[in-house]
């Protein structure tokens, strides 16, 4: 149902900590113009847990204005299942094309609770669902066994595979075939996951470097893996910035440097400072200074 490069976008704030819809629209248009295949709003990179329900719905509508006939997904990451169900209903009413669903971002559910929670939220709307499997960040592992148990629910159509174990993609395919569209959700495993069967990439650094991200994906789909690998090797130091406690600050700094945006965050997050900022800025500027020419696609 879904495939390609679908950025997990950042949320832009003005100097008064309000949503900056003008800047978000500019950034979203930039991604779509570069060939991205949809947008996902209000995720981990989008500081979704720091946003009110009204802010999430407003950002969804801004993203929808950029995506056209491509999908816009709302991330559901509420702590209580009841609130997640309410958010799913509100997202459908606001025009979302689908949901990316975090099973339980605070309480660490067991197998039975994970299955029950995912089913409850899926049943709260008619929207197709991408399950966000991220045992590293959220301590809830949506295993292939859980996916098999949920396979009878037609609303579950995709998996954002972020277990940080490249073997998991093959395990899912071996157990479930093509039942779910598999997206890689770890930037610095992008090439590897696409090599073994992932059909898409929920990407982070793409928000600053969309052309390179799209080029890697399209080259691999065309069987031109060596050309994709050369870009990926250049990209790796940047992609590593996604795998960090400070991924939001890192990636917003990349947006500031590369596309002239800003690195404002919602507290308690604050922009990088001092030696930490200098280190990340050097990684970004060094990469920009030696970026490869992209082949014709």
């Amino acid at each position: 149902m879904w495939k390609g490069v679908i950025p997990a976008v950042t949320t832009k704030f003005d100097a008064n900590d309000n949503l900056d819809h003008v800047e978000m629209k500019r950034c979203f248009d930039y991604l779509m113009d570069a060939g991205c295949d949809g947008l996902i709003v209000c995720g981990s990179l989008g500081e979704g847990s720091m946003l009110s329900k009204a802010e999430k719905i407003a950002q969804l509508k801004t993203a929808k204005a950029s995506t056209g006939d491509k999908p816009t997904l709302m991330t559901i990451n509420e702590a209580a299942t009841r609130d997640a169900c309410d958010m799913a209903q509100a997202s459908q009413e606001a025009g979302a094309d689908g949901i990316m669903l975090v099973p339980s971002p605070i309480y660490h559910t067991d197998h039975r609770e994970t299955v029950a929670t995912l089913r409850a939220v899926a049943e709260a709307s008619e929207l197709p669902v991408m399950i966000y499997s991220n045992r590293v960040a959220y301590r809830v592992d949506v295993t292939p066994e859980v996916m098999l148990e949920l396979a009878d629910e037609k609303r579950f159509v995709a998996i954002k595979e972020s277990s940080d174990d490249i073997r998991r993609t093959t395990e899912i395919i071996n157990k479930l075939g093509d039942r779910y569209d598999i997206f890689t959700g770890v930037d610095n495993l992008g090439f590897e996951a696409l090599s073994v069967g992932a059909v898409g990439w929920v990407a982070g650094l793409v928000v600053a470097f969309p052309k390179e991200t799209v080029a890697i994906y399209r080259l691999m789909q065309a069987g031109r893996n060596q050309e994709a690998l050369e870009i990926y090797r250049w990209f790796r130091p940047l992609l590593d910035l996604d795998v960090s406690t400070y991924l939001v600050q890192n990636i917003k700094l990349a947006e500031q440097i590369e596309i002239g945006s800003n690195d404002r965050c919602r507290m308690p997050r604050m922009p990088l400072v001092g030696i930490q900022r200098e280190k990340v800025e050097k990684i970004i500027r060094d990469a920009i200074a030696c970026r490869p020419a992209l082949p014709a696609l």
Side-chain angles (χ1 to χ4, degrees):
M1 181 172 183
W2 295 318
K3 63 180 180 179
V5 175
I6 304 185
V9 296
T10 58
T11 298
K12 294 303 178 186
F13 303 101
D14 65 22
N16 296 314
D17 196 40
N18 298 311
L19 296 189
D20 186 342
H21 288 281
V22 172
E23 178 61 5
M24 282 193 285
K25 182 66 166 58
R26 183 184 77 87
C27 293
F28 298 165
D29 286 347
Y30 177 66
L31 294 172
M32 301 311 297
D33 290 344
C36 292
D37 298 290
L39 298 175
I40 299 176
V41 299
C42 305
S44 304
L45 181 56
E47 299 171 81
S49 59
M50 308 298 172
L51 304 176
S52 69
K53 179 181 176 181
E55 287 176 323
K56 292 180 181 183
I57 294 299
Q59 183 177 162
L60 171 70
K61 292 178 179 179
T62 296
K64 283 282 293 179
S66 293
T67 52
D69 60 356
K70 295 182 179 179
T72 302
L73 278 63
M74 170 68 84
T75 305
I76 305 291
N77 56 2
E78 277 62 32
T81 303
R82 179 188 64 180
D83 296 336
C85 292
D86 179 66
M87 194 70 225
Q89 294 168 358
S91 299
Q92 178 173 320
E93 292 169 3
D97 298 295
I99 290 168
M100 184 171 76
L101 176 57
V102 179
S104 183
I106 297 177
Y107 172 68
H108 305 156
T109 51
D110 63 20
H111 179 105
R112 177 176 63 97
E113 293 168 323
T114 299
V115 169
T117 295
L118 291 170
R119 284 193 184 277
V121 181
E123 292 168 0
S125 81
E126 294 301 318
L127 295 174
V129 178
M130 176 187 292
I131 300 172
Y132 187 4
S133 178
N134 189 338
R135 64 186 180 186
V136 177
Y138 299 116
R139 309 291 186 237
V140 176
D141 191 6
V142 184
T143 64
E145 290 70 29
V146 170
M147 297 175 198
L148 183 62
E149 191 168 342
L150 295 171
D152 63 322
E153 171 53 71
K154 65 180 181 179
R155 295 178 182 88
F156 295 122
V157 300
I159 304 292
K160 179 184 176 184
E161 211 307 282
S162 299
S163 70
D164 204 33
D165 183 351
I166 193 59
R167 293 169 295 190
R168 177 62 66 84
T169 299
T170 298
E171 290 166 4
I172 295 169
I173 294 170
N174 283 350
K175 185 173 285 290
L176 290 133
D178 61 358
R179 168 60 185 82
Y180 297 97
D181 294 333
I182 303 174
F183 282 70
T184 179
V186 181
D187 262 6
N188 60 6
L189 285 176
F191 180 90
E192 293 84 350
L194 292 168
S195 296
V196 294
V199 301
W201 186 352
V202 177
L205 267 297
V206 65
V207 298
F209 299 95
K211 294 177 182 178
E212 288 81 2
T213 311
V214 169
I216 291 169
Y217 176 80
R218 291 187 179 177
L219 286 167
M220 295 191 72
Q221 294 304 299
R224 297 162 62 182
N225 288 26
Q226 186 58 42
E227 292 172 272
L229 182 57
E230 291 173 7
I231 302 169
Y232 185 69
R233 286 172 173 162
W234 162 83
F235 213 175
R236 259 298 303 272
L238 291 165
L239 298 176
D240 290 346
L241 298 175
D242 179 62
V243 188
S244 167
T245 301
Y246 299 97
L247 80 160
V248 174
Q249 294 95 319
N250 291 343
I251 293 174
K252 283 191 168 183
L253 181 56
E255 286 184 293
Q256 178 176 307
I257 293 171
E258 171 65 9
I259 65 171
S261 190
N262 65 75
D263 64 346
R264 298 187 190 102
C265 304
R266 177 159 284 176
M267 290 183 69
R269 284 189 180 90
M270 299 177 71
L272 302 179
V273 295
I275 294 174
Q276 187 180 23
R277 186 183 184 91
E278 292 173 6
K279 179 180 178 181
V280 173
E281 186 168 333
K282 185 177 188 304
I283 291 170
I284 297 165
R285 293 193 184 281
D286 284 354
I288 291 171
C290 65
R291 71 196 316 159
L294 300 180
L297 300 174

